[in-house]
Amino acid sequence: MTIFFDFDSTLVSKESLDEVIALALADSPDRIEQTEAVAAITDKGMEGAIPFTESVRQRLAVAPVTHQHFEAIGKELCEHITPRMAELCAELIERGHEVYIISGGFKTSILPVAKLLGVHADNVWANTYTTDQSGVLTGVDTDNPCFTDFGKSPVIEAIVRKNAPPRPYVMVGDGANDLAAFESDAVDHFCGFAGNKARTVILERAPRVAYTTSELRDFLFSEVAV
Ligand SMILES: [Mg+2]
């Protein structure tokens, strides 16, 4: 079995890019207006009024984000791992299953958490950026399969082409972009994770929803890896 975990609001209880942007704006004299502008862009993205890649570009344009901000949030997120997820990842790996983290967030702020979860850095598929010499972001790597408006399917297809991990494939996540992997047949199973955020799209369309890590564990071991 191969489990593809979403990161934000699934393995951790927060949304990493929002945290990075809040940190970047913390000392700005215009932070109230900037925070409102970022929230408006986030909302437009969630409503589907603008594509995901556009919402990332627009948010990064408002906030003067640096590599150091991503590193700091990576450390902070280690304190916000969803309860029992570390134990579940350890058990999955110990039983010989493959665990991947696939995210529209940025790799820098995911790697410290992945290390704690025992997930190898090569199994973390997330966005990457370029910076200038002082660490200020100069762009997002648009060649990365994670920088897409088509949810997690292109990422899973890229992983399957490169590594051909063992079936069945299971996607676990809280968002419409995670569910897209199942609805496009990139994975065999989907479990919505509503332990941090219970989104309507998941509650209405996911074939299975777990509200706790324990429910997710039961699903994986009783219904998928049988
Ligand atoms: Mg998520």
Side-chain angles (χ1 to χ4, degrees):
M1 169 168 71
T2 300
I3 303 95
F4 299 101
F5 277 105
D6 167 51
F7 185 71
D8 295 321
S9 299
T10 298
L11 288 175
V12 295
S13 59
K14 299 196 168 197
E15 291 285 319
S16 57
L17 187 55
D18 290 356
E19 296 297 310
V20 168
I21 288 171
L23 180 61
L25 295 179
D27 295 326
S28 166
D30 302 321
R31 74 176 176 283
I32 294 172
E33 294 81 3
Q34 288 168 312
T35 304
E36 282 172 3
V38 167
I41 300 163
T42 303
D43 285 346
K44 272 195 211 166
M46 298 249 180
E47 290 159 10
I50 52 170
F52 170 75
T53 55
E54 189 54 34
S55 101
V56 172
R57 277 203 187 94
Q58 287 188 12
R59 280 181 285 168
L60 291 176
V62 174
V65 171
T66 67
H67 175 67
Q68 291 82 352
H69 292 137
F70 280 97
E71 282 190 324
I73 293 304
K75 280 189 196 145
E76 195 185 307
L77 289 174
C78 292
E79 308 293 322
H80 297 279
I81 294 172
T82 301
R84 312 297 300 171
M85 279 295 185
E87 292 82 352
L88 176 59
C89 286
E91 185 180 4
L92 286 165
I93 293 164
E94 186 173 327
R95 290 197 187 194
H97 302 293
E98 293 261 343
V99 175
Y100 282 79
I101 299 172
I102 58 177
S103 175
F106 288 87
K107 206 166 176 177
T108 306
S109 48
I110 296 174
L111 288 177
V113 175
K115 195 170 180 189
L116 276 183
L117 296 176
V119 176
H120 196 278
D122 289 345
N123 283 17
V124 178
W125 289 55
N127 277 306
T128 42
Y129 48 71
T130 51
T131 66
D132 66 15
Q133 285 188 336
S134 59
V136 176
L137 261 67
T138 51
V140 179
D141 290 323
T142 53
D143 294 345
N144 187 320
C146 299
F147 197 65
T148 172
D149 294 322
F150 299 99
K152 302 284 164 83
S153 316
V155 187
I156 292 171
E157 284 156 11
I159 292 171
V160 170
R161 271 197 304 275
K162 183 164 187 267
N163 299 336
R167 293 192 98 105
Y169 298 153
V170 192
M171 177 79 220
V172 177
D174 68 291
N177 56 341
D178 305 313
L179 181 64
F182 177 71
E183 293 186 335
S184 70
D185 294 328
V187 293
D188 308 300
H189 301 272
F190 179 81
C191 186
F193 188 74
N196 293 308
K197 293 231 177 81
R199 301 190 200 278
T200 311
V201 59
I202 293 298
L203 303 185
E204 286 180 353
R205 296 203 334 235
R208 174 59 68 115
V209 179
Y211 286 85
T212 63
T213 306
S214 166
E215 287 177 15
L216 171 61
R217 184 190 174 282
D218 287 347
F219 168 71
L220 291 173
F221 289 125
S222 322
E223 295 181 45
V224 183
V226 290

PDB file of all heavy atoms in Angstrom, residues 150-157 167 171 176-188 190 205:
ATOM      1  N   PHE A 150      -4.492  21.529 -11.228  1.00  0.00           N
ATOM      2  CA  PHE A 150      -5.261  20.294 -11.401  1.00  0.00           C
ATOM      3  C   PHE A 150      -5.179  19.372 -10.189  1.00  0.00           C
ATOM      4  O   PHE A 150      -5.255  18.148 -10.324  1.00  0.00           O
ATOM      5  CB  PHE A 150      -4.807  19.579 -12.685  1.00  0.00           C
ATOM      6  CG  PHE A 150      -5.036  20.408 -13.917  1.00  0.00           C
ATOM      7  CD1 PHE A 150      -3.998  21.125 -14.480  1.00  0.00           C
ATOM      8  CD2 PHE A 150      -6.295  20.507 -14.471  1.00  0.00           C
ATOM      9  CE1 PHE A 150      -4.211  21.920 -15.597  1.00  0.00           C
ATOM     10  CE2 PHE A 150      -6.519  21.293 -15.587  1.00  0.00           C
ATOM     11  CZ  PHE A 150      -5.477  22.010 -16.153  1.00  0.00           C
ATOM     12  N   GLY A 151      -4.983  19.950  -9.004  1.00  0.00           N
ATOM     13  CA  GLY A 151      -4.988  19.149  -7.784  1.00  0.00           C
ATOM     14  C   GLY A 151      -3.792  18.212  -7.705  1.00  0.00           C
ATOM     15  O   GLY A 151      -2.749  18.463  -8.304  1.00  0.00           O
ATOM     16  N   LYS A 152      -3.975  17.094  -6.998  1.00  0.00           N
ATOM     17  CA  LYS A 152      -2.844  16.223  -6.709  1.00  0.00           C
ATOM     18  C   LYS A 152      -2.588  15.169  -7.796  1.00  0.00           C
ATOM     19  O   LYS A 152      -1.564  14.485  -7.753  1.00  0.00           O
ATOM     20  CB  LYS A 152      -3.050  15.526  -5.356  1.00  0.00           C
ATOM     21  CG  LYS A 152      -3.239  16.496  -4.163  1.00  0.00           C
ATOM     22  CD  LYS A 152      -1.952  17.127  -3.706  1.00  0.00           C
ATOM     23  CE  LYS A 152      -2.141  18.338  -2.809  1.00  0.00           C
ATOM     24  NZ  LYS A 152      -2.379  18.078  -1.407  1.00  0.00           N
ATOM     25  N   SER A 153      -3.494  15.037  -8.777  1.00  0.00           N
ATOM     26  CA  SER A 153      -3.321  13.981  -9.788  1.00  0.00           C
ATOM     27  C   SER A 153      -1.998  14.072 -10.550  1.00  0.00           C
ATOM     28  O   SER A 153      -1.312  13.060 -10.683  1.00  0.00           O
ATOM     29  CB  SER A 153      -4.472  13.989 -10.790  1.00  0.00           C
ATOM     30  OG  SER A 153      -5.681  14.141 -10.140  1.00  0.00           O
ATOM     31  N   PRO A 154      -1.609  15.261 -11.061  1.00  0.00           N
ATOM     32  CA  PRO A 154      -0.351  15.309 -11.819  1.00  0.00           C
ATOM     33  C   PRO A 154       0.854  14.914 -10.957  1.00  0.00           C
ATOM     34  O   PRO A 154       1.818  14.339 -11.471  1.00  0.00           O
ATOM     35  CB  PRO A 154      -0.234  16.780 -12.246  1.00  0.00           C
ATOM     36  CG  PRO A 154      -1.604  17.340 -12.108  1.00  0.00           C
ATOM     37  CD  PRO A 154      -2.280  16.566 -11.029  1.00  0.00           C
ATOM     38  N   VAL A 155       0.781  15.191  -9.661  1.00  0.00           N
ATOM     39  CA  VAL A 155       1.890  14.866  -8.762  1.00  0.00           C
ATOM     40  C   VAL A 155       1.974  13.348  -8.577  1.00  0.00           C
ATOM     41  O   VAL A 155       3.052  12.753  -8.664  1.00  0.00           O
ATOM     42  CB  VAL A 155       1.700  15.565  -7.391  1.00  0.00           C
ATOM     43  CG1 VAL A 155       2.934  15.356  -6.528  1.00  0.00           C
ATOM     44  CG2 VAL A 155       1.390  17.037  -7.568  1.00  0.00           C
ATOM     45  N   ILE A 156       0.811  12.732  -8.347  1.00  0.00           N
ATOM     46  CA  ILE A 156       0.797  11.275  -8.164  1.00  0.00           C
ATOM     47  C   ILE A 156       1.248  10.581  -9.445  1.00  0.00           C
ATOM     48  O   ILE A 156       2.041   9.634  -9.405  1.00  0.00           O
ATOM     49  CB  ILE A 156      -0.606  10.805  -7.713  1.00  0.00           C
ATOM     50  CG1 ILE A 156      -0.856  11.327  -6.297  1.00  0.00           C
ATOM     51  CG2 ILE A 156      -0.718   9.281  -7.767  1.00  0.00           C
ATOM     52  CD1 ILE A 156      -2.253  11.148  -5.792  1.00  0.00           C
ATOM     53  N   GLU A 157       0.793  11.091 -10.587  1.00  0.00           N
ATOM     54  CA  GLU A 157       1.227  10.493 -11.862  1.00  0.00           C
ATOM     55  C   GLU A 157       2.745  10.602 -12.028  1.00  0.00           C
ATOM     56  O   GLU A 157       3.395   9.667 -12.505  1.00  0.00           O
ATOM     57  CB  GLU A 157       0.480  11.152 -13.031  1.00  0.00           C
ATOM     58  CG  GLU A 157      -0.961  10.648 -13.116  1.00  0.00           C
ATOM     59  CD  GLU A 157      -1.906  11.615 -13.822  1.00  0.00           C
ATOM     60  OE1 GLU A 157      -1.428  12.589 -14.443  1.00  0.00           O
ATOM     61  OE2 GLU A 157      -3.135  11.383 -13.745  1.00  0.00           O
ATOM     62  N   ARG A 167       0.902  -0.726  -5.060  1.00  0.00           N
ATOM     63  CA  ARG A 167      -0.540  -0.481  -4.935  1.00  0.00           C
ATOM     64  C   ARG A 167      -1.068  -1.269  -3.752  1.00  0.00           C
ATOM     65  O   ARG A 167      -0.411  -2.230  -3.337  1.00  0.00           O
ATOM     66  CB  ARG A 167      -1.250  -0.893  -6.226  1.00  0.00           C
ATOM     67  CG  ARG A 167      -0.866  -0.004  -7.392  1.00  0.00           C
ATOM     68  CD  ARG A 167      -1.801  -0.240  -8.566  1.00  0.00           C
ATOM     69  NE  ARG A 167      -2.853   0.766  -8.595  1.00  0.00           N
ATOM     70  CZ  ARG A 167      -2.888   1.790  -9.477  1.00  0.00           C
ATOM     71  NH1 ARG A 167      -1.943   1.948 -10.374  1.00  0.00           N
ATOM     72  NH2 ARG A 167      -3.875   2.653  -9.450  1.00  0.00           N
ATOM     73  N   MET A 171      -5.171   8.251  -1.156  1.00  0.00           N
ATOM     74  CA  MET A 171      -4.945   9.681  -0.912  1.00  0.00           C
ATOM     75  C   MET A 171      -5.706  10.067   0.346  1.00  0.00           C
ATOM     76  O   MET A 171      -6.866   9.669   0.524  1.00  0.00           O
ATOM     77  CB  MET A 171      -5.453  10.478  -2.125  1.00  0.00           C
ATOM     78  CG  MET A 171      -5.337  12.001  -1.984  1.00  0.00           C
ATOM     79  SD  MET A 171      -3.660  12.591  -2.298  1.00  0.00           S
ATOM     80  CE  MET A 171      -3.508  13.846  -1.009  1.00  0.00           C
ATOM     81  N   ALA A 176     -10.377  19.999  -1.745  1.00  0.00           N
ATOM     82  CA  ALA A 176     -10.898  19.622  -3.062  1.00  0.00           C
ATOM     83  C   ALA A 176      -9.768  19.170  -3.974  1.00  0.00           C
ATOM     84  O   ALA A 176      -9.951  18.274  -4.806  1.00  0.00           O
ATOM     85  CB  ALA A 176     -11.622  20.808  -3.680  1.00  0.00           C
ATOM     86  N   ASN A 177      -8.575  19.759  -3.811  1.00  0.00           N
ATOM     87  CA  ASN A 177      -7.438  19.373  -4.657  1.00  0.00           C
ATOM     88  C   ASN A 177      -6.968  17.945  -4.334  1.00  0.00           C
ATOM     89  O   ASN A 177      -6.437  17.250  -5.189  1.00  0.00           O
ATOM     90  CB  ASN A 177      -6.283  20.375  -4.527  1.00  0.00           C
ATOM     91  CG  ASN A 177      -5.815  20.573  -3.099  1.00  0.00           C
ATOM     92  OD1 ASN A 177      -6.525  20.264  -2.142  1.00  0.00           O
ATOM     93  ND2 ASN A 177      -4.620  21.091  -2.939  1.00  0.00           N
ATOM     94  N   ASP A 178      -7.181  17.503  -3.083  1.00  0.00           N
ATOM     95  CA  ASP A 178      -6.842  16.129  -2.696  1.00  0.00           C
ATOM     96  C   ASP A 178      -7.866  15.155  -3.296  1.00  0.00           C
ATOM     97  O   ASP A 178      -7.514  14.121  -3.859  1.00  0.00           O
ATOM     98  CB  ASP A 178      -6.837  15.982  -1.165  1.00  0.00           C
ATOM     99  CG  ASP A 178      -5.906  16.990  -0.511  1.00  0.00           C
ATOM    100  OD1 ASP A 178      -4.764  17.123  -0.990  1.00  0.00           O
ATOM    101  OD2 ASP A 178      -6.316  17.645   0.461  1.00  0.00           O
ATOM    102  N   LEU A 179      -9.145  15.510  -3.161  1.00  0.00           N
ATOM    103  CA  LEU A 179     -10.229  14.678  -3.685  1.00  0.00           C
ATOM    104  C   LEU A 179     -10.103  14.491  -5.197  1.00  0.00           C
ATOM    105  O   LEU A 179     -10.452  13.436  -5.737  1.00  0.00           O
ATOM    106  CB  LEU A 179     -11.580  15.326  -3.329  1.00  0.00           C
ATOM    107  CG  LEU A 179     -12.831  14.578  -3.765  1.00  0.00           C
ATOM    108  CD1 LEU A 179     -12.940  13.229  -3.068  1.00  0.00           C
ATOM    109  CD2 LEU A 179     -14.079  15.422  -3.476  1.00  0.00           C
ATOM    110  N   ALA A 180      -9.560  15.517  -5.878  1.00  0.00           N
ATOM    111  CA  ALA A 180      -9.400  15.453  -7.343  1.00  0.00           C
ATOM    112  C   ALA A 180      -8.567  14.240  -7.758  1.00  0.00           C
ATOM    113  O   ALA A 180      -8.787  13.669  -8.830  1.00  0.00           O
ATOM    114  CB  ALA A 180      -8.752  16.742  -7.860  1.00  0.00           C
ATOM    115  N   ALA A 181      -7.627  13.825  -6.898  1.00  0.00           N
ATOM    116  CA  ALA A 181      -6.781  12.664  -7.218  1.00  0.00           C
ATOM    117  C   ALA A 181      -7.625  11.397  -7.326  1.00  0.00           C
ATOM    118  O   ALA A 181      -7.345  10.513  -8.134  1.00  0.00           O
ATOM    119  CB  ALA A 181      -5.705  12.482  -6.160  1.00  0.00           C
ATOM    120  N   PHE A 182      -8.669  11.312  -6.509  1.00  0.00           N
ATOM    121  CA  PHE A 182      -9.563  10.151  -6.531  1.00  0.00           C
ATOM    122  C   PHE A 182     -10.559  10.259  -7.677  1.00  0.00           C
ATOM    123  O   PHE A 182     -10.792   9.293  -8.414  1.00  0.00           O
ATOM    124  CB  PHE A 182     -10.298  10.044  -5.190  1.00  0.00           C
ATOM    125  CG  PHE A 182     -11.287   8.921  -5.124  1.00  0.00           C
ATOM    126  CD1 PHE A 182     -10.862   7.595  -5.068  1.00  0.00           C
ATOM    127  CD2 PHE A 182     -12.655   9.172  -5.131  1.00  0.00           C
ATOM    128  CE1 PHE A 182     -11.773   6.545  -5.009  1.00  0.00           C
ATOM    129  CE2 PHE A 182     -13.573   8.130  -5.070  1.00  0.00           C
ATOM    130  CZ  PHE A 182     -13.138   6.827  -5.015  1.00  0.00           C
ATOM    131  N   GLU A 183     -11.118  11.441  -7.844  1.00  0.00           N
ATOM    132  CA  GLU A 183     -12.147  11.629  -8.874  1.00  0.00           C
ATOM    133  C   GLU A 183     -11.557  11.491 -10.281  1.00  0.00           C
ATOM    134  O   GLU A 183     -12.284  11.233 -11.232  1.00  0.00           O
ATOM    135  CB  GLU A 183     -12.862  12.969  -8.665  1.00  0.00           C
ATOM    136  CG  GLU A 183     -13.686  12.942  -7.368  1.00  0.00           C
ATOM    137  CD  GLU A 183     -14.542  14.170  -7.125  1.00  0.00           C
ATOM    138  OE1 GLU A 183     -14.206  15.246  -7.658  1.00  0.00           O
ATOM    139  OE2 GLU A 183     -15.545  14.047  -6.384  1.00  0.00           O
ATOM    140  N   SER A 184     -10.234  11.665 -10.407  1.00  0.00           N
ATOM    141  CA  SER A 184      -9.596  11.492 -11.722  1.00  0.00           C
ATOM    142  C   SER A 184      -8.937  10.117 -11.845  1.00  0.00           C
ATOM    143  O   SER A 184      -8.187   9.867 -12.799  1.00  0.00           O
ATOM    144  CB  SER A 184      -8.536  12.569 -11.927  1.00  0.00           C
ATOM    145  OG  SER A 184      -7.443  12.313 -11.056  1.00  0.00           O
ATOM    146  N   ASP A 185      -9.173   9.239 -10.832  1.00  0.00           N
ATOM    147  CA  ASP A 185      -8.655   7.858 -10.854  1.00  0.00           C
ATOM    148  C   ASP A 185      -7.137   7.734 -10.723  1.00  0.00           C
ATOM    149  O   ASP A 185      -6.572   6.711 -11.083  1.00  0.00           O
ATOM    150  CB  ASP A 185      -9.089   7.112 -12.132  1.00  0.00           C
ATOM    151  CG  ASP A 185     -10.598   6.902 -12.161  1.00  0.00           C
ATOM    152  OD1 ASP A 185     -11.173   6.739 -11.070  1.00  0.00           O
ATOM    153  OD2 ASP A 185     -11.184   6.939 -13.247  1.00  0.00           O
ATOM    154  N   ALA A 186      -6.466   8.771 -10.184  1.00  0.00           N
ATOM    155  CA  ALA A 186      -5.011   8.653  -9.953  1.00  0.00           C
ATOM    156  C   ALA A 186      -4.735   7.742  -8.760  1.00  0.00           C
ATOM    157  O   ALA A 186      -3.646   7.186  -8.638  1.00  0.00           O
ATOM    158  CB  ALA A 186      -4.391  10.030  -9.728  1.00  0.00           C
ATOM    159  N   VAL A 187      -5.720   7.615  -7.854  1.00  0.00           N
ATOM    160  CA  VAL A 187      -5.575   6.722  -6.688  1.00  0.00           C
ATOM    161  C   VAL A 187      -6.766   5.763  -6.628  1.00  0.00           C
ATOM    162  O   VAL A 187      -7.815   6.019  -7.220  1.00  0.00           O
ATOM    163  CB  VAL A 187      -5.479   7.507  -5.353  1.00  0.00           C
ATOM    164  CG1 VAL A 187      -4.194   8.318  -5.282  1.00  0.00           C
ATOM    165  CG2 VAL A 187      -6.700   8.396  -5.141  1.00  0.00           C
ATOM    166  N   ASP A 188      -6.577   4.665  -5.874  1.00  0.00           N
ATOM    167  CA  ASP A 188      -7.627   3.648  -5.756  1.00  0.00           C
ATOM    168  C   ASP A 188      -8.620   3.976  -4.648  1.00  0.00           C
ATOM    169  O   ASP A 188      -9.780   3.568  -4.691  1.00  0.00           O
ATOM    170  CB  ASP A 188      -6.974   2.286  -5.452  1.00  0.00           C
ATOM    171  CG  ASP A 188      -5.880   1.960  -6.462  1.00  0.00           C
ATOM    172  OD1 ASP A 188      -6.216   1.885  -7.661  1.00  0.00           O
ATOM    173  OD2 ASP A 188      -4.712   1.818  -6.061  1.00  0.00           O
ATOM    174  N   PHE A 190      -9.781   6.987  -1.391  1.00  0.00           N
ATOM    175  CA  PHE A 190      -9.624   8.330  -0.825  1.00  0.00           C
ATOM    176  C   PHE A 190     -10.267   8.357   0.541  1.00  0.00           C
ATOM    177  O   PHE A 190     -11.377   7.841   0.729  1.00  0.00           O
ATOM    178  CB  PHE A 190     -10.294   9.386  -1.721  1.00  0.00           C
ATOM    179  CG  PHE A 190     -10.180  10.788  -1.167  1.00  0.00           C
ATOM    180  CD1 PHE A 190      -9.009  11.517  -1.341  1.00  0.00           C
ATOM    181  CD2 PHE A 190     -11.223  11.353  -0.441  1.00  0.00           C
ATOM    182  CE1 PHE A 190      -8.882  12.795  -0.817  1.00  0.00           C
ATOM    183  CE2 PHE A 190     -11.104  12.634   0.090  1.00  0.00           C
ATOM    184  CZ  PHE A 190      -9.939  13.359  -0.100  1.00  0.00           C
ATOM    185  N   ARG A 205     -18.682  14.872  -0.971  1.00  0.00           N
ATOM    186  CA  ARG A 205     -18.257  14.059  -2.130  1.00  0.00           C
ATOM    187  C   ARG A 205     -17.276  12.941  -1.819  1.00  0.00           C
ATOM    188  O   ARG A 205     -17.116  12.029  -2.643  1.00  0.00           O
ATOM    189  CB  ARG A 205     -17.654  14.966  -3.219  1.00  0.00           C
ATOM    190  CG  ARG A 205     -18.691  15.904  -3.766  1.00  0.00           C
ATOM    191  CD  ARG A 205     -18.450  16.474  -5.148  1.00  0.00           C
ATOM    192  NE  ARG A 205     -17.120  16.607  -5.646  1.00  0.00           N
ATOM    193  CZ  ARG A 205     -16.597  17.746  -6.097  1.00  0.00           C
ATOM    194  NH1 ARG A 205     -17.309  18.865  -6.060  1.00  0.00           N
ATOM    195  NH2 ARG A 205     -15.382  17.769  -6.600  1.00  0.00           N
TER     196      ARG A 205
END
